[in-house]
Amino acid sequence: MEPENDTQILEFLLLGFSEQAEIQLLIFWLFLSMYLVTVLGNLLIILAIISDSHLHTPMYFFLANLSFVDICFTSTTIPKMLVNIQTQSKTITYAGCITQMYFLLLFSGLDIFLLTVMAYDRYVAICHPLHYMIVMNHRLCRLLVLACWIMSFLNSLLHSFMVLRLSFCTDLEIPHFFCELNQVVHHACSDTFLNDMVIYITAVFLAVGPLTGILYSYSKIVSSIRAISSAQGKYKAFSTCASHLSVVFLFYCTLLGVYLSSAVTQNSHSTATASLVYTVVTPMLNPFIYSLRNKDIKSALRRLLGRTPGREPIHPPQ
């Protein structure tokens, strides 16, 4: 009974990056700026897609969902960190830590699944262009997004329940700026073997499975692009995939790098710094990656911000 009572009053300490006042002030303004850029950039992408009828296609439907998830993903960690710096407090309650961990797992899983669905969308568009609007119809697109939410919800719920069964004896110092799953589990007093097994199994399901699907889709895409005779046709086909490939590369490389480095080294502060890339930097860069190389997005943003007249709306086939 004692471990349970300790768990109820438990508070975690998020150590963050530095205890020096000058550096904390710099971190506060840096993270606040990055958070505002992330929210504004992704919000503009969503508004541009909603307001422009030319972008009411499956590819941009998935992109709007990805932008929404990126806003939520960043919002699970940065606001709490900013509040802690402002109040000179490092504490987060047990319930707050579990809640933060749940939503972090939910939105990171959604990022992974949506990137996989977007790869499948590009595969159908390039490899089977004549059947694209038939295969990627509105019903299938909604079902794919719903499936992403369900799978990610079940994954985050599973890990949250697995953490709730653990006992924590004292207040714990987490050398991170958020409640990261591995850090919380490995500071428990009770046996964590079952938790570790679930983490490894779900990691294979969430990382290897979707990544295999993405690589398979793009292997077929590359084969189809090579079969195109004209150089202009090859460039046009590749340009539609370049933005998505950049986001996949940035997200997966940093995510895998964090977990591989945490398995090799015990330097938790370096792992926390690496985690910053996929939790903050990648969601911030996504709007720039998708807009800089995409003429349709840039045109929609110009019309949205400058209120310039657009073309006559062309309704996509149902």
Side-chain angles (χ1 to χ4, degrees):
M1 293 298 294
E2 288 185 1
E4 293 181 3
N5 292 334
D6 289 337
T7 299
Q8 291 176 0
I9 62 173
L10 187 69
E11 285 187 338
F12 293 92
L13 297 177
L14 300 176
L15 300 184
F17 295 101
S18 175
E19 296 183 0
Q20 299 181 21
E22 297 82 3
I23 297 180
Q24 280 198 332
L25 183 62
L26 176 63
I27 290 174
F28 176 84
W29 288 110
L30 177 63
F31 274 71
L32 178 61
S33 302
M34 293 172 72
Y35 179 66
L36 292 177
V37 170
T38 301
V39 173
L40 180 61
N42 283 287
L43 189 60
L44 283 174
I45 293 291
I46 294 172
L47 292 176
I49 292 173
I50 292 175
S51 63
D52 195 324
S53 60
H54 304 96
L55 303 183
H56 294 176
T57 62
M59 180 176 73
Y60 295 111
F61 171 72
F62 295 132
L63 177 57
N65 278 273
L66 182 68
S67 295
F68 171 75
V69 169
D70 280 341
I71 293 174
C72 298
F73 187 27
T74 309
S75 298
T76 60
T77 56
I78 302 304
K80 175 60 180 174
M81 179 186 180
L82 296 177
V83 169
N84 280 7
I85 294 176
Q86 189 68 23
T87 59
Q88 296 296 307
S89 171
K90 298 179 181 179
T91 63
I92 183 171
T93 63
Y94 175 77
C97 188
I98 299 298
T99 303
Q100 185 186 66
M101 186 177 61
Y102 168 83
F103 283 107
L104 189 70
L105 290 169
L106 174 67
F107 294 120
S108 61
L110 277 167
D111 254 344
I112 292 172
F113 290 130
L114 282 173
L115 289 174
T116 308
V117 169
M118 292 172 76
Y120 174 71
D121 172 72
R122 293 299 83 205
Y123 160 74
V124 177
I126 294 175
C127 299
H128 305 283
L130 298 179
H131 301 92
Y132 178 68
M133 294 310 300
I134 298 174
V135 175
M136 301 301 296
N137 55 69
H138 295 301
R139 182 173 179 272
L140 178 63
C141 292
R142 294 189 182 98
L143 286 175
L144 287 172
V145 171
L146 178 62
C148 292
W149 276 92
I150 291 174
M151 288 187 292
S152 189
F153 167 77
L154 293 175
N155 174 67
S156 57
L157 195 64
L158 172 63
H159 286 296
S160 299
F161 279 132
M162 291 298 295
V163 172
L164 287 172
R165 60 178 285 275
L166 298 175
S167 298
F168 298 90
C169 302
T170 58
D171 287 355
L172 302 175
E173 293 185 347
I174 300 178
H176 227 302
F177 64 97
F178 61 88
C179 288
E180 199 267 334
L181 177 62
N182 283 325
Q183 293 286 342
V184 175
V185 168
H186 292 154
H187 282 84
C189 295
S190 53
D191 180 53
T192 62
F193 175 77
L194 187 58
N195 292 75
D196 290 331
M197 290 300 297
V198 172
I199 290 173
Y200 293 141
I201 293 171
T202 54
V204 172
F205 172 69
L206 286 173
V208 178
L211 185 58
T212 301
I214 292 172
L215 294 176
Y216 175 80
S217 296
Y218 275 99
S219 68
K220 294 295 185 181
I221 289 172
V222 169
S223 299
S224 296
I225 292 177
R226 290 178 62 185
I228 299 175
S229 56
S230 67
Q232 184 179 1
K234 289 182 178 180
Y235 175 79
K236 184 178 180 181
F238 180 76
S239 63
T240 62
C241 304
S243 299
H244 181 252
L245 271 176
S246 302
V247 173
V248 169
F249 178 80
L250 186 62
F251 182 81
Y252 266 96
C253 285
T254 53
L255 184 62
L256 291 175
V258 166
Y259 284 97
L260 289 176
S261 63
S262 65
V264 174
T265 180
Q266 298 300 318
N267 191 341
S268 300
H269 286 286
S270 63
T271 303
T273 305
S275 299
L276 173 68
V277 179
Y278 79 88
T279 57
V280 181
V281 176
T282 302
M284 181 185 68
L285 292 179
N286 283 357
F288 297 101
I289 293 173
Y290 279 107
S291 61
L292 291 177
R293 294 183 57 88
N294 192 304
K295 294 181 180 179
D296 293 331
I297 289 288
K298 286 192 288 187
S299 298
L301 287 172
R302 281 196 293 267
R303 286 193 289 271
L304 178 67
L305 298 176
R307 299 183 182 275
T308 57
R311 296 166 290 179
E312 290 296 322
I314 301 175
H315 298 287
Q318 301 295 320

